[in-house]
Amino acid sequence: MYYAIVAALMLVFPLASILVDVSIHQVQPGWFLVGKWFVFWAVGVRLFVAGLRQMLQPRYTAEQILGIRGDDVLLVVRELGFANASIGIVGILSIVATGWVVAAALAGGIFYGLAGINHALQGHRNRLENVAMASDLFAAVVLLGYCIWVATR
């Protein structure tokens, strides 16, 4: 289930949303739509859903994704959930507050980049952490690429 959710929120839904937007509004595909839809799905929905899970079920993230056992880590994972949900809410609201797209892309891109690097530095990654690492680094490239496009146009 984790793999399907990550694939849907990080690739399938953003690309489908871009295609729908292009076909309905007759706009050219490009970085503007990439920013709009990757911020909504990858930053907004994914981080919000991850945050909820980390707040309500911190043991799943600690044990299944990070491979850490014990109750001591649960407080930290729950606090990570607060941060993820907060960034996620900004990403979700960016669909109506379009002025927030760049800020959400920058915050999300930095977060995903640092998280992906952190996963990469772990020598004992399991399969779920490998997926988290790859999807985090992919999201960072897309989101920070969008920010660079905005800054240079």
Side-chain angles (χ1 to χ4, degrees):
M1 184 67 149
Y2 175 77
Y3 303 116
I5 290 170
V6 170
L9 295 177
M10 300 296 283
L11 191 60
V12 176
F13 291 168
L15 292 176
S17 296
I18 290 168
L19 292 174
V20 168
D21 218 357
V22 166
S23 66
I24 290 175
H25 297 108
Q26 303 298 311
V27 294
Q28 293 293 329
W31 278 106
F32 169 76
L33 292 179
V34 168
K36 174 183 176 180
W37 291 114
F38 274 87
V39 164
F40 178 77
W41 289 110
V43 176
V45 178
R46 180 177 182 204
L47 290 182
F48 182 72
V49 168
L52 282 180
R53 180 132 200 205
Q54 290 158 343
M55 288 185 285
L56 300 173
Q57 296 175 318
R59 191 172 307 280
Y60 175 82
T61 296
E63 293 179 2
Q64 299 301 315
I65 296 179
L66 300 176
I68 303 171
R69 305 262 184 252
D71 291 342
D72 292 344
V73 72
L74 301 181
L75 176 67
V76 175
V77 172
R78 191 169 281 119
E79 294 226 3
L80 172 63
F82 300 153
N84 278 337
S86 298
I87 296 170
I89 288 169
V90 174
I92 290 169
L93 292 177
S94 74
I95 205 72
V96 292
T98 57
W100 294 5
V101 172
V102 176
L106 183 59
I110 292 169
F111 173 79
Y112 278 128
L114 293 173
I117 291 167
N118 190 50
H119 289 300
L121 295 175
Q122 303 306 312
H124 62 279
R125 289 186 310 274
N126 61 33
R127 193 174 344 165
L128 293 177
E129 193 171 6
N130 281 330
V131 170
M133 176 190 67
S135 64
D136 287 354
L137 293 173
F138 169 75
V141 167
V142 171
L143 294 164
L144 295 175
Y146 168 74
C147 291
I148 291 168
W149 173 78
V150 169
T152 59
R153 57 178 258 224

